[in-house]
Amino acid sequence: MSEFLQQLLNGLSLGAIYALIALGYTMVYGVLRFINFAHSDVFMVGAFIGYYVGKLVPEGTLWGGMIVLIASMVGCAILGMTIERLAYRPLRGAATLNVLITAIGVSLLLEYSGQVFFGAAPRTFPQIFPSANFSVGGLVISTNQLAVILVAVLLMIGLQFIVYRTKIGTAMRAVSLNPKAAQLVGVNNDVVISFTFGLGSALAAAGGILYALNYPSIDPLMGVMPGLKAFVAAVLGGIGNIPGAALGGLILGTVETFVNGSQWSTYKDAIAFAILIIILLFRPAGLLGKFTVEKV
Amino acid sequence: MPKPHLLLLAALLAALGISHFSDQIDPYYLDVMTGIGINVILAVSLNLVNGYTGQFSLGHAGFMSVGAYLAAAVSVFVGPKFLGEDSGSALQQGLVFLAALLVGGTAAALAGLLVGVPSLRLKGDYLALVTLGFGEIIRVIFQNVEFLGGALGLNGIPAYTTPFWVLAFVAITIFIVTCLVHSTYGRGFLATHDDEIASEAVGLDTTRYKIVAFVVSAFFAGIAGGLYGHFKLTITPTGFDFTKSIEIVVMVILGGMGNTIGVVLAAVLLTLLPELLRPIAEYRMVLYSFMLIVLMIMRPQGLFNFKYGKVKL
């Protein structure tokens, strides 16, 4: 039983990270209807910004950790908005496939530039937050795991607030519902899309820092697998749906951790995609998504 | 196209002729050319699905790996029994290789059927994602099959791939895909691409067309995989991950989707590009990805698509 709870805790902390990345995918999909492949590399850049800023602040202090987290989120928000401005905006209105390939191009560009500038060898991520392990009734809980869950929950509450309680959030939902109609009632679509990219990228950066805290080895290709799985999580929950992305991330992280702890551990990378395929075949709109009938 | 059968025959004869002089060509150029040929097969076959039929598949490398592994298994495990101690004559080796390639292609086609039937009900991004997922699942399965070398890969594949086989299969792939699309039956692929709902309304079974396109395309991906395995002599599951699929998709898109000549040119260019950029070593992939973005923004209809407007994306 305690082993089950331990795995559940590990799974939830991994799932919280997937959820943070998935939110960025789902928001961009909501406003622009394309898979932003570069998102997983923004996640990687987030971890690297954390690595460099982490060297400047004293290790193991709460305020130092917060500075690292915020610096990385701001840095990635700027990166995300820059990518959108330079690569995606010229293609507004082009075929989805072209935008998709551009996204793949941006993703490759970030990965290969990362290998040139950061070096391809993995690095050890500093312990930026104070860390300790304590056991509760046979469970080993690390403060890093708690930090992951706490930060993720706070960010998701913040996101929920922005999307449902602020003017720009309302504009975001309007654009995702119908971009043309939103423009007609005076929403500046470009600003909203830019903001969405900034917000999503900041969440990915937070995900990157939290991931690096728990799996303290970072390299320029670290984003590929978590990125793919986070996208699966977004689809699982119903793409374009914010609570769905969070739910999908948690489910995926938990299932993957349990598979990893079982005798089928070598199949853990396949399990995410198996879940995805089953979901799409039986409930194509995802768990929380609404199924819409295509009209001619 | 005038007399495609004659063109195919001419291409096959040319393949035979060129392979006659292959030992006089610099081995490095021969390697690059083999790589180009394999990529042309992959891109032209994927073009049938992504270009002509308008379905977005991201799992081509998965089918390629099925072909590569099955073909390699035939020539590693079954071949020696047939050829005997002295590894047989050139003709016998050729027959074993042909059988291995056909087994690889057929297995990939079956995998295509298995993947296609459930997933082709989905559209657009979802289809892309499911095919990507299947590709990754195939990779993980191969990583876990100890019999085929597991994560370390399969070694000691005999070097059967010669310029003749590559050129011959390039010709056959282009021939079959072109003839299929230009046949009466093949108009259905284009109709599915142009407007699925309208095609269904006039009584075309679009799902069936999509599956046929998928299976044919997977078959040639399997052939290309077999050629690749007997060219590299060692195959690992990670060599067929989704980066490889994306590489092929990029060739199709740059070639101008649904434009076989353009796709062939794009496959040639994109295989040569990393080779040409080799002098600038570590920056070459940075430049490659940068050029990809710029090309997509400057020429969204594809680099080699000169008939813009006729083939609508």
Side-chain angles (χ1 to χ4, degrees):
Chain A
M1 187 62 199
S2 82
E3 198 194 340
F4 175 81
L5 286 176
Q6 182 74 55
Q7 292 283 20
L8 190 66
L9 181 75
N10 295 347
L12 286 180
S13 72
L14 180 65
I17 296 170
Y18 284 160
L20 281 180
I21 314 172
L23 288 169
Y25 276 116
T26 221
M27 283 193 297
V28 167
Y29 195 91
V31 292
L32 281 182
R33 308 257 170 256
F34 85 101
I35 307 174
N36 181 15
F37 271 100
H39 195 62
S40 57
D41 301 292
V42 172
F43 163 87
M44 175 272 292
V45 173
F48 269 95
I49 295 179
Y51 172 81
Y52 287 111
V53 178
K55 281 182 166 177
L56 303 176
V57 298
E59 273 188 26
T61 54
L62 196 59
W63 62 271
M66 291 313 286
I67 288 178
V68 170
L69 192 64
I70 290 168
S72 160
M73 285 173 76
V74 171
C76 280
I78 294 170
L79 176 71
M81 286 154 104
T82 315
I83 292 173
E84 190 273 327
R85 179 70 193 84
L86 295 180
Y88 301 149
R89 196 175 294 179
L91 284 167
R92 200 68 46 79
T96 324
L97 277 185
N98 290 322
V99 192
L100 205 65
I101 295 299
T102 312
I104 291 170
V106 174
S107 162
L108 292 177
L109 184 66
L110 287 176
E111 281 168 21
Y112 292 123
S113 315
Q115 286 182 343
V116 171
F117 293 117
F118 306 140
R123 292 158 186 234
T124 314
F125 194 77
Q127 276 301 332
I128 50 170
F129 280 110
S131 72
N133 289 336
F134 48 92
S135 55
V136 180
L139 286 184
V140 181
I141 304 173
S142 74
T143 44
N144 278 343
Q145 278 178 329
L146 290 184
V148 167
I149 296 176
L150 191 71
V151 171
V153 168
L154 284 179
L155 286 174
M156 278 180 225
I157 293 173
L159 182 70
Q160 201 72 8
F161 175 78
I162 291 178
V163 172
Y164 286 98
R165 291 280 182 275
T166 61
K167 207 171 170 186
I168 186 93
T170 314
M172 268 169 71
R173 283 182 291 140
V175 172
S176 119
L177 209 58
N178 188 338
K180 274 199 186 120
Q183 212 158 17
L184 285 176
V185 296
V187 174
N188 187 340
N189 284 12
D190 282 341
V191 171
V192 171
I193 289 169
S194 189
F195 180 77
T196 309
F197 268 86
L199 202 59
S201 303
L203 291 176
I209 300 278
L210 297 178
Y211 190 84
L213 273 179
N214 274 354
Y215 307 88
S217 163
I218 59 173
D219 67 88
L221 295 179
M222 66 181 274
V224 177
M225 260 301 152
L228 272 180
K229 285 176 189 161
F231 188 74
V232 169
V235 176
L236 179 62
I239 193 137
N241 182 314
I242 290 175
L247 179 70
L250 289 179
I251 292 177
L252 202 64
T254 314
V255 171
E256 198 185 302
T257 310
F258 275 104
V259 172
N260 202 12
S262 74
Q263 51 185 329
W264 294 292
S265 59
T266 44
Y267 284 97
K268 88 177 161 83
D269 281 344
I271 211 75
F273 297 107
I275 294 177
L276 169 81
I277 290 163
I278 294 166
I279 283 284
L280 284 184
L281 292 180
F282 293 103
R283 222 186 129 71
L287 289 177
L288 300 184
K290 268 195 232 111
F291 188 76
T292 47
V293 179
E294 192 183 351
K295 291 181 192 135
V296 184
Chain B
M1 183 172 289
K3 307 265 184 215
H5 301 82
L6 288 180
L7 281 178
L8 176 68
L9 200 65
L12 289 179
L13 285 176
L16 210 56
I18 290 172
S19 67
H20 203 68
F21 297 104
S22 64
D23 45 357
Q24 290 167 27
I25 307 173
D26 186 87
Y28 170 71
Y29 291 119
L30 214 56
D31 266 23
V32 173
M33 276 161 57
T34 309
I36 289 176
I38 292 171
N39 278 342
V40 168
I41 299 177
L42 287 168
V44 169
S45 59
L46 185 67
N47 190 27
L48 183 63
V49 174
N50 282 25
Y52 289 117
T53 318
Q55 304 304 307
F56 195 53
S57 163
L58 268 180
H60 218 49
F63 301 127
M64 186 187 171
S65 71
V66 171
Y69 268 99
L70 268 288
V74 168
S75 55
V76 170
F77 300 117
V78 186
K81 289 185 188 132
F82 176 74
L83 295 172
E85 297 270 308
D86 53 348
S87 72
S89 67
L91 184 68
Q92 281 174 320
Q93 283 186 358
L95 282 177
V96 167
F97 188 38
L98 187 63
L101 286 179
L102 291 180
V103 167
T106 313
L110 280 178
L113 188 67
L114 216 62
V115 174
V117 168
S119 55
L120 285 168
R121 299 184 313 174
L122 303 166
K123 291 189 174 76
D125 297 340
Y126 286 112
L127 178 66
L129 206 63
V130 166
T131 48
L132 191 161
F134 271 115
E136 289 291 297
I137 289 176
I138 291 174
R139 179 176 66 80
V140 173
I141 289 175
F142 278 126
Q143 268 175 357
N144 283 287
V145 181
E146 291 302 323
F147 169 66
L148 292 172
L152 292 175
L154 190 59
N155 295 313
I157 306 168
Y160 288 155
T161 301
T162 58
F164 168 71
W165 289 111
V166 177
L167 286 171
F169 273 107
V170 167
I172 292 172
T173 310
I174 296 177
F175 171 75
I176 290 188
V177 169
T178 314
C179 287
L180 191 60
V181 172
H182 288 275
S183 66
T184 316
Y185 179 82
R187 293 286 131 180
F189 295 120
L190 300 175
T192 308
H193 167 267
D194 287 342
D195 194 329
E196 217 177 311
I197 296 168
S199 315
E200 271 172 16
V202 296
L204 289 178
D205 188 349
T206 53
T207 309
R208 200 188 161 84
Y209 274 108
K210 289 187 218 166
I211 291 172
V212 169
F214 218 66
V215 169
V216 172
S217 153
F219 175 81
F220 284 110
I223 297 273
L227 290 169
Y228 179 84
H230 293 80
F231 164 56
K232 294 284 180 191
L233 312 186
T234 168
I235 43 179
T236 52
T238 42
F240 305 102
D241 59 359
F242 96 111
T243 345
K244 180 73 194 168
S245 299
I246 285 176
E247 208 177 286
I248 311 166
V249 170
V250 168
M251 289 172 192
V252 172
I253 295 198
L254 274 190
M257 317 231 297
N259 170 356
T260 303
I261 296 172
V263 168
V264 171
L265 287 176
V268 174
L269 182 79
L270 284 180
T271 323
L272 280 181
L273 200 60
E275 298 295 331
L276 295 178
L277 295 177
R278 215 171 263 284
I280 52 168
E282 68 223 73
Y283 294 100
R284 71 188 175 118
M285 294 315 282
V286 178
L287 199 64
Y288 169 83
S289 43
F290 182 71
M291 282 164 78
L292 189 63
I293 301 170
V294 173
L295 275 174
M296 272 292 104
I297 295 175
M298 308 296 278
R299 275 190 79 82
Q301 73 272 37
L303 190 58
F304 297 110
N305 192 349
F306 301 112
K307 295 182 290 186
Y308 195 50
K310 193 178 173 191
V311 185
K312 266 195 346 212
L313 286 173

